[in-house]
Amino acid sequence: MREEVTEGQMGFMRGTQTMPAPRKYPLGVGERAVRVYRTAEPKPVIRRMAEELGLHHEALRSWIRQAETDAGERGDMLTTAEREELAVLRNENAQLKRANEVLRTASAFFAAQLDPTRPR
């Protein structure tokens, strides 16, 4: 059986509204797991440690890599601050592109109004 889709749901499906994905792990779990990993001597096997903590090993591995990047121990990834700055700049860039498009359209409209000999 198919249910009727409302206009609000269509807007959501088209991507006009965004909703973050639900978190798989509670906040702070990653930080605690990384702290346990970094303080352990000798360094445990990530897969085994993740199993013991009830986490997916790739989630733990990515948290550890990000923590190492933020601490300046790695240079192959963006730090958390750089990621946040990049997101802000991308949003600002998208807004500026939209504003330019509006201004370009308005300019063409008013140019046509001022010059009646110009073909439309």
Side-chain angles (χ1 to χ4, degrees):
M1 289 190 182
R2 268 182 111 159
E3 294 181 18
E4 191 68 29
V5 178
T6 65
E7 183 60 34
Q9 291 170 328
M10 285 302 294
F12 184 73
M13 292 183 338
R14 280 192 297 268
T16 57
Q17 301 171 347
T18 59
M19 186 171 148
R23 293 193 173 274
K24 185 164 178 125
Y25 304 105
L27 290 174
V29 168
E31 293 172 6
R32 287 192 302 263
V34 168
R35 197 174 328 113
V36 168
Y37 175 82
R38 291 180 71 114
T39 58
E41 278 300 324
K43 295 292 181 223
V45 175
I46 292 175
R47 186 179 291 266
R48 189 171 306 130
M49 183 182 163
E51 225 173 75
E52 291 170 2
L53 296 174
L55 305 170
H56 191 274
H57 64 277
E58 284 302 323
L60 179 58
R61 187 181 321 278
S62 69
W63 293 335
I64 291 169
R65 288 182 72 205
Q66 190 63 51
E68 289 171 348
T69 300
D70 291 345
E73 299 168 10
R74 296 180 74 107
D76 60 338
M77 294 174 52
L78 295 176
T79 65
T80 302
E82 290 170 336
R83 285 176 188 261
E84 291 170 357
E85 181 183 10
L86 182 59
V88 168
L89 291 173
R90 284 182 174 166
N91 285 335
E92 184 180 340
N93 192 20
Q95 287 177 340
L96 291 172
K97 284 182 178 181
R98 286 191 296 270
N100 278 344
E101 185 59 35
V102 168
L103 290 173
R104 192 176 296 113
T105 305
S107 174
F109 173 78
F110 288 119
Q113 295 293 318
L114 292 175
D115 187 7
T117 61
R118 183 176 166 179
R120 293 183 185 186

Short mmCIF file of all heavy atoms in Angstrom, two decimals, residues 53-82:
data_model
loop_
_atom_site.label_atom_id
_atom_site.label_comp_id
_atom_site.label_asym_id
_atom_site.label_seq_id
_atom_site.Cartn_x
_atom_site.Cartn_y
_atom_site.Cartn_z
N LEU A 53 35.15 -2.36 23.26
CA LEU A 53 34.35 -1.18 23.60
C LEU A 53 32.96 -1.20 22.96
O LEU A 53 32.15 -0.32 23.23
CB LEU A 53 35.10 0.09 23.18
CG LEU A 53 36.41 0.36 23.90
CD1 LEU A 53 37.11 1.56 23.29
CD2 LEU A 53 36.17 0.58 25.38
N GLY A 54 32.72 -2.16 22.07
CA GLY A 54 31.42 -2.24 21.41
C GLY A 54 31.28 -1.22 20.28
O GLY A 54 30.18 -0.75 20.01
N LEU A 55 32.39 -0.88 19.64
CA LEU A 55 32.40 0.09 18.54
C LEU A 55 32.80 -0.61 17.25
O LEU A 55 33.41 -1.67 17.28
CB LEU A 55 33.41 1.20 18.82
CG LEU A 55 33.27 1.97 20.12
CD1 LEU A 55 34.49 2.85 20.33
CD2 LEU A 55 32.01 2.78 20.13
N HIS A 56 32.49 0.01 16.14
CA HIS A 56 32.98 -0.48 14.87
C HIS A 56 34.43 -0.05 14.74
O HIS A 56 34.79 1.09 15.06
CB HIS A 56 32.15 0.07 13.71
CG HIS A 56 32.44 -0.61 12.41
ND1 HIS A 56 33.46 -0.20 11.59
CD2 HIS A 56 31.85 -1.67 11.81
CE1 HIS A 56 33.49 -0.98 10.53
NE2 HIS A 56 32.52 -1.89 10.63
N HIS A 57 35.29 -0.94 14.27
CA HIS A 57 36.72 -0.65 14.23
C HIS A 57 37.06 0.53 13.33
O HIS A 57 37.99 1.29 13.62
CB HIS A 57 37.53 -1.89 13.83
CG HIS A 57 37.25 -2.38 12.45
ND1 HIS A 57 36.18 -3.20 12.16
CD2 HIS A 57 37.90 -2.16 11.29
CE1 HIS A 57 36.18 -3.46 10.88
NE2 HIS A 57 37.22 -2.85 10.31
N GLU A 58 36.33 0.72 12.25
CA GLU A 58 36.63 1.85 11.35
C GLU A 58 36.21 3.17 11.99
O GLU A 58 36.84 4.21 11.74
CB GLU A 58 35.96 1.67 10.00
CG GLU A 58 36.66 0.65 9.11
CD GLU A 58 38.12 0.98 8.85
OE1 GLU A 58 38.47 2.17 8.69
OE2 GLU A 58 38.93 0.04 8.80
N ALA A 59 35.17 3.16 12.81
CA ALA A 59 34.79 4.38 13.53
C ALA A 59 35.91 4.77 14.49
O ALA A 59 36.34 5.94 14.52
CB ALA A 59 33.48 4.17 14.29
N LEU A 60 36.39 3.80 15.25
CA LEU A 60 37.49 4.08 16.18
C LEU A 60 38.74 4.52 15.43
O LEU A 60 39.40 5.48 15.83
CB LEU A 60 37.79 2.84 17.04
CG LEU A 60 38.93 2.99 18.05
CD1 LEU A 60 38.65 4.14 19.00
CD2 LEU A 60 39.13 1.69 18.80
N ARG A 61 39.06 3.86 14.34
CA ARG A 61 40.24 4.21 13.55
C ARG A 61 40.14 5.66 13.05
O ARG A 61 41.09 6.43 13.11
CB ARG A 61 40.41 3.26 12.37
CG ARG A 61 41.69 3.47 11.61
CD ARG A 61 41.82 2.51 10.42
NE ARG A 61 41.37 1.15 10.65
CZ ARG A 61 42.07 0.19 11.25
NH1 ARG A 61 43.27 0.48 11.70
NH2 ARG A 61 41.57 -1.01 11.39
N SER A 62 38.97 6.06 12.56
CA SER A 62 38.82 7.43 12.04
C SER A 62 38.90 8.46 13.17
O SER A 62 39.47 9.54 12.99
CB SER A 62 37.53 7.57 11.25
OG SER A 62 36.41 7.51 12.10
N TRP A 63 38.35 8.13 14.35
CA TRP A 63 38.46 9.05 15.49
C TRP A 63 39.91 9.22 15.91
O TRP A 63 40.35 10.33 16.23
CB TRP A 63 37.64 8.54 16.68
CG TRP A 63 36.16 8.54 16.45
CD1 TRP A 63 35.45 9.32 15.59
CD2 TRP A 63 35.22 7.70 17.09
NE1 TRP A 63 34.12 9.01 15.66
CE2 TRP A 63 33.94 8.03 16.59
CE3 TRP A 63 35.32 6.69 18.05
CZ2 TRP A 63 32.79 7.39 17.00
CZ3 TRP A 63 34.15 6.07 18.48
CH2 TRP A 63 32.90 6.42 17.96
N ILE A 64 40.67 8.13 15.91
CA ILE A 64 42.08 8.19 16.28
C ILE A 64 42.86 9.03 15.26
O ILE A 64 43.67 9.89 15.64
CB ILE A 64 42.68 6.77 16.41
CG1 ILE A 64 42.07 6.06 17.63
CG2 ILE A 64 44.19 6.82 16.52
CD1 ILE A 64 42.37 4.58 17.70
N ARG A 65 42.61 8.80 13.98
CA ARG A 65 43.29 9.58 12.94
C ARG A 65 42.98 11.06 13.07
O ARG A 65 43.87 11.91 12.93
CB ARG A 65 42.88 9.08 11.55
CG ARG A 65 43.45 7.72 11.21
CD ARG A 65 43.06 7.29 9.83
NE ARG A 65 43.81 8.11 8.87
CZ ARG A 65 43.40 8.34 7.63
NH1 ARG A 65 42.28 7.82 7.18
NH2 ARG A 65 44.11 9.07 6.81
N GLN A 66 41.70 11.39 13.34
CA GLN A 66 41.32 12.80 13.48
C GLN A 66 41.99 13.42 14.71
O GLN A 66 42.46 14.55 14.65
CB GLN A 66 39.80 12.95 13.56
CG GLN A 66 39.34 14.39 13.46
CD GLN A 66 39.68 15.02 12.12
OE1 GLN A 66 39.39 14.47 11.08
NE2 GLN A 66 40.29 16.19 12.15
N ALA A 67 42.06 12.68 15.80
CA ALA A 67 42.71 13.19 17.01
C ALA A 67 44.21 13.41 16.76
O ALA A 67 44.78 14.41 17.22
CB ALA A 67 42.52 12.22 18.17
N GLU A 68 44.83 12.51 16.03
CA GLU A 68 46.24 12.68 15.70
C GLU A 68 46.45 13.89 14.80
O GLU A 68 47.42 14.64 14.96
CB GLU A 68 46.78 11.42 15.01
CG GLU A 68 46.92 10.24 15.94
CD GLU A 68 47.24 8.94 15.22
OE1 GLU A 68 47.13 8.89 13.97
OE2 GLU A 68 47.59 7.97 15.92
N THR A 69 45.54 14.13 13.87
CA THR A 69 45.62 15.29 12.99
C THR A 69 45.46 16.58 13.79
O THR A 69 46.22 17.53 13.62
CB THR A 69 44.55 15.22 11.89
OG1 THR A 69 44.76 14.04 11.13
CG2 THR A 69 44.62 16.43 10.97
N ASP A 70 44.46 16.59 14.70
CA ASP A 70 44.23 17.78 15.52
C ASP A 70 45.41 18.07 16.44
O ASP A 70 45.67 19.23 16.76
CB ASP A 70 42.96 17.61 16.35
CG ASP A 70 41.69 17.63 15.49
OD1 ASP A 70 41.76 18.06 14.32
OD2 ASP A 70 40.63 17.21 15.99
N ALA A 71 46.12 17.02 16.84
CA ALA A 71 47.29 17.20 17.72
C ALA A 71 48.55 17.55 16.93
O ALA A 71 49.60 17.78 17.52
CB ALA A 71 47.52 15.91 18.52
N GLY A 72 48.47 17.59 15.61
CA GLY A 72 49.61 17.95 14.78
C GLY A 72 50.55 16.78 14.50
O GLY A 72 51.66 16.99 14.04
N GLU A 73 50.09 15.56 14.77
CA GLU A 73 50.93 14.39 14.54
C GLU A 73 50.80 13.85 13.12
O GLU A 73 51.58 13.00 12.72
CB GLU A 73 50.55 13.29 15.55
CG GLU A 73 50.77 13.72 16.99
CD GLU A 73 50.12 12.78 17.99
OE1 GLU A 73 49.67 11.69 17.57
OE2 GLU A 73 50.07 13.13 19.16
N ARG A 74 49.81 14.31 12.40
CA ARG A 74 49.60 13.87 11.01
C ARG A 74 49.44 15.12 10.15
O ARG A 74 48.91 16.12 10.61
CB ARG A 74 48.32 13.05 10.87
CG ARG A 74 48.30 11.76 11.61
CD ARG A 74 46.98 11.06 11.37
NE ARG A 74 46.93 10.52 10.04
CZ ARG A 74 47.00 9.22 9.77
NH1 ARG A 74 47.12 8.35 10.73
NH2 ARG A 74 46.95 8.79 8.54
N GLY A 75 49.82 15.01 8.91
CA GLY A 75 49.66 16.14 8.00
C GLY A 75 48.83 15.81 6.78
O GLY A 75 48.67 16.65 5.90
N ASP A 76 48.27 14.62 6.73
CA ASP A 76 47.57 14.19 5.52
C ASP A 76 46.06 14.43 5.57
O ASP A 76 45.36 14.10 4.62
CB ASP A 76 47.83 12.69 5.26
CG ASP A 76 47.35 11.81 6.40
OD1 ASP A 76 47.22 12.31 7.53
OD2 ASP A 76 47.12 10.62 6.15
N MET A 77 45.57 15.02 6.65
CA MET A 77 44.14 15.29 6.78
C MET A 77 43.93 16.72 7.25
O MET A 77 44.85 17.36 7.75
CB MET A 77 43.50 14.33 7.81
CG MET A 77 43.50 12.88 7.41
SD MET A 77 42.90 11.80 8.75
CE MET A 77 41.35 12.52 9.20
N LEU A 78 42.70 17.21 7.12
CA LEU A 78 42.35 18.52 7.65
C LEU A 78 42.04 18.39 9.14
O LEU A 78 41.42 17.42 9.56
CB LEU A 78 41.12 19.08 6.94
CG LEU A 78 41.25 19.39 5.46
CD1 LEU A 78 39.91 19.85 4.90
CD2 LEU A 78 42.29 20.46 5.23
N THR A 79 42.44 19.39 9.91
CA THR A 79 42.08 19.40 11.33
C THR A 79 40.60 19.70 11.45
O THR A 79 39.94 20.15 10.49
CB THR A 79 42.89 20.45 12.11
OG1 THR A 79 42.52 21.74 11.63
CG2 THR A 79 44.38 20.22 11.98
N THR A 80 40.06 19.49 12.64
CA THR A 80 38.64 19.77 12.88
C THR A 80 38.34 21.24 12.62
O THR A 80 37.33 21.58 12.00
CB THR A 80 38.26 19.37 14.32
OG1 THR A 80 38.55 17.98 14.49
CG2 THR A 80 36.79 19.60 14.58
N ALA A 81 39.23 22.12 13.07
CA ALA A 81 39.03 23.56 12.86
C ALA A 81 39.05 23.89 11.37
O ALA A 81 38.23 24.70 10.89
CB ALA A 81 40.10 24.35 13.59
N GLU A 82 39.95 23.27 10.63
CA GLU A 82 40.01 23.52 9.18
C GLU A 82 38.76 22.99 8.48
O GLU A 82 38.26 23.63 7.55
CB GLU A 82 41.25 22.85 8.59
CG GLU A 82 42.55 23.51 8.99
CD GLU A 82 43.78 22.70 8.61
OE1 GLU A 82 43.68 21.47 8.44
OE2 GLU A 82 44.84 23.33 8.47
#
